[in-house]
Amino acid sequence: MSPVLAIDTAGPVIGVAVHRGPPLPPQEVTVRITRGAEEILPTLVDQACAQADVELRALVGIGVASGPGAFTGLRVGMAAAAGLAFALGVPVWTTNSLLPRAQAAGQRGRLLVMLDARKSRVYAAAWDGTALTHPPGDVPPEEALAWVSGAPFRATGEGAEVYRALVEASGGVVHGSAERPGTAALAALAAAGLARGEGIDAVTLQAEYLRDADAVPRDARPR
């Protein structure tokens, strides 16, 4: 299988991974940032490719998490993915940022994926095994936890760490690597999707914000 590179900048821990196909394991690099994703992302791309012993020109596609997540981070990640795809002449494959985190945690039993959305809310989705029981939404953490109440469950995503006390009070267990973005899983998903012919032109990429931006253009503000 030809190599695929994946990018996730939806949360404070950003990641890049290269999937080469079995039996070779994916190569993933991650780093926690507070700002400046656009400055460090090219370095992560170089590191992931070097660890995988893959040259950029050998890539056959780019995978990217399209959201939900931090507005600025998503824009940086999608711009980087589009730029690489244009430069290499390869397609892009995209999915929401919660599914790779679910796969990285292992989709067995009830699983809740949460990203911190600020303002006492989370971007969340829930699975029972591989079945999606609640699609991605922008909700209070208590509402998301109600989706998996009544039975043992696990929670992952950096929102699970932020609201660990609520998760545990609801009878849940926070996954041990909750803050990791699951970029290796994203790369594997992208490779499979591209093999099925699901790649798209980078110009058609669209983010899944689930929320309007706080910043409003000056000429759009009420007078």
Side-chain angles (χ1 to χ4, degrees), residues 125-141:
W127 282 262
D128 192 345
T130 58
L132 180 67
T133 54
H134 285 273
D138 173 9
V139 297

Side-chain angles (χ1 to χ4, degrees), residues 48-104:
C49 287
Q51 290 181 14
D53 195 22
V54 167
E55 295 186 0
L56 276 176
R57 63 185 178 183
L59 297 173
V60 299
I62 307 295
V64 63
S66 58
F71 286 94
T72 301
L74 288 177
R75 287 194 293 269
V76 168
M78 296 188 73
L84 282 170
F86 278 128
L88 298 171
V90 299
V92 177
W93 187 89
T94 185
T95 188
N96 73 76
S97 52
L98 303 176
L99 176 59
R101 288 167 168 80
Q103 292 214 344

Side-chain angles (χ1 to χ4, degrees), residues 12 17 41 44 61 93 105 128 140 142 158 162 169 171 203:
L41 195 53
L44 297 187
W93 187 89
D128 192 345
E142 295 86 356
E158 50 98 15
V162 172
V203 74

Side-chain angles (χ1 to χ4, degrees), residues 169-185:
S170 299
V173 175
V174 175
H175 181 65
S177 302
E179 293 188 343
R180 295 181 66 84
T183 327

Side-chain angles (χ1 to χ4, degrees), residues 139-205:
V139 297
E142 295 86 356
E143 181 175 336
L145 287 163
W147 298 344
V148 289
S149 64
F153 71 92
R154 294 175 300 125
T156 194
E158 50 98 15
E161 286 287 4
V162 172
Y163 294 102
R164 175 182 287 271
L166 285 177
V167 170
E168 294 176 347
S170 299
V173 175
V174 175
H175 181 65
S177 302
E179 293 188 343
R180 295 181 66 84
T183 327
L186 173 60
L189 285 166
L194 290 165
R196 293 191 297 267
E198 297 171 0
I200 61 174
D201 192 303
V203 74
T204 65
L205 273 177

